[in-house]
């Protein structure tokens, strides 16, 4: 189906009704409006854990929450980006709200840098790069789970543990 503005309409399952790309991006933005503040609060709350427990134990629930968040958001995001005009509309909405990928990276970076100053994260660790890697690992797991299903990827808990372990954050005396 073609709309007058040139965007294709997408038929819903069973051919009942239609969901146009603009509606998909509206649904995606509504989901982000609901879920993103919760996700950012989880990340911001990390600062309360500086110097407590182990860094890995503190980050493990973050990785698991990240996988859950990305799995939910990606399932709605994919249908939203069906045309260049929809993508441009999303980018404009991001600018209007002053959100960016750094909205997630900054709280993790701040936590890792504080733990590094306390001597609980190895000196050679780059907090910004490590925050990005943690988030990328969560995103990657959610992406693969969405496309190939849960039978072909480790469980979310196993993936979260693997992500945190392989960051190799904590300094160990030899």
């Amino acid at each position: 189906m073609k709309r007058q503005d040139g965007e294709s309409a997408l038929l819903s399952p069973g051919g009942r009704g239609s969901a146009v790309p603009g509606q998909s991006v509206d649904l995606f933005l509504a989901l982000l409006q609901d879920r993103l503040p919760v996700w950012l609060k989880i990340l911001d709350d990390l600062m309360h854990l500086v110097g407590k427990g182990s860094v890995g134990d503190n980050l493990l629930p973050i990785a698991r929450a990240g996988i859950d968040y990305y799995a939910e958001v990606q399932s709605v995001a994919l249908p939203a980006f069906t045309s260049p005009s929809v993508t441009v509309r999303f980018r404009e909405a991001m600018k209007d709200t002053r959100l960016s990928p750094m909205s997630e990276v900054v709280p993790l970076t701040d936590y890792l840098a504080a733990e590094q100053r306390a001597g609980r994260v190895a000196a050679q660790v780059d907090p910004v790069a490590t925050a990005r890697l943690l988030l990328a690992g969560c995103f990657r797991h959610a992406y693969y789970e969405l496309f190939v299903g849960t039978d072909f990827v480790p469980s979310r808990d196993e993936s979260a543990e693997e992500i945190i372990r392989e960051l190799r954050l904590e300094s160990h005396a030899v």
Side-chain angles (χ1 to χ4, degrees):
M1 296 175 77
K2 285 287 195 182
R3 290 183 8 189
Q4 286 185 340
D5 64 3
E7 290 185 9
S8 299
L10 305 174
L11 289 179
S12 63
R16 296 179 307 268
S18 67
V20 295
Q23 291 170 333
S24 294
V25 81
D26 289 341
L27 177 61
F28 175 62
L29 291 173
L31 181 68
L32 275 183
Q33 185 177 5
D34 182 58
R35 301 301 194 277
L36 186 59
V38 173
W39 171 229
L40 293 176
K41 173 96 171 85
I42 290 168
L43 294 172
D44 286 337
D45 285 348
L46 264 174
M47 289 306 287
H48 300 290
L49 298 176
V50 173
K52 300 174 186 167
S54 76
V55 175
D57 288 345
N58 293 343
L59 290 174
L60 189 58
I62 300 303
R64 177 53 202 263
I67 292 169
D68 292 343
Y69 168 75
Y70 289 126
E72 184 174 21
V73 170
Q74 284 184 71
S75 67
V76 177
L78 292 175
F81 296 98
T82 58
S83 76
S85 63
V86 171
T87 303
V88 167
R89 182 170 168 225
F90 172 73
R91 288 177 183 164
E92 289 168 354
M94 293 296 287
K95 284 179 189 173
D96 291 346
T97 60
R98 295 193 174 127
L99 288 173
S100 76
M102 289 305 290
S103 300
E104 298 171 296
V105 173
V106 168
L108 275 171
T109 299
D110 292 347
Y111 170 74
L112 291 166
E115 292 287 25
Q116 193 173 49
R117 286 189 298 276
R120 292 167 33 97
V121 168
Q124 70 271 18
V125 169
D126 177 340
V128 174
T130 301
R132 287 181 177 148
L133 285 170
L134 189 155
L135 295 169
C138 297
F139 186 89
R140 180 185 181 279
H141 177 90
Y143 178 83
Y144 280 134
E145 189 177 282
L146 180 65
F147 280 101
V148 301
T150 57
D151 292 342
F152 296 101
V153 295
S155 72
R156 290 181 181 185
D157 288 334
E158 290 169 329
S159 254
E161 290 172 10
E162 181 180 85
I163 291 164
I164 299 307
R165 181 183 62 246
E166 294 307 316
L167 290 176
R168 301 171 195 226
L169 296 169
E170 298 178 49
S171 46
H172 298 285
V174 180

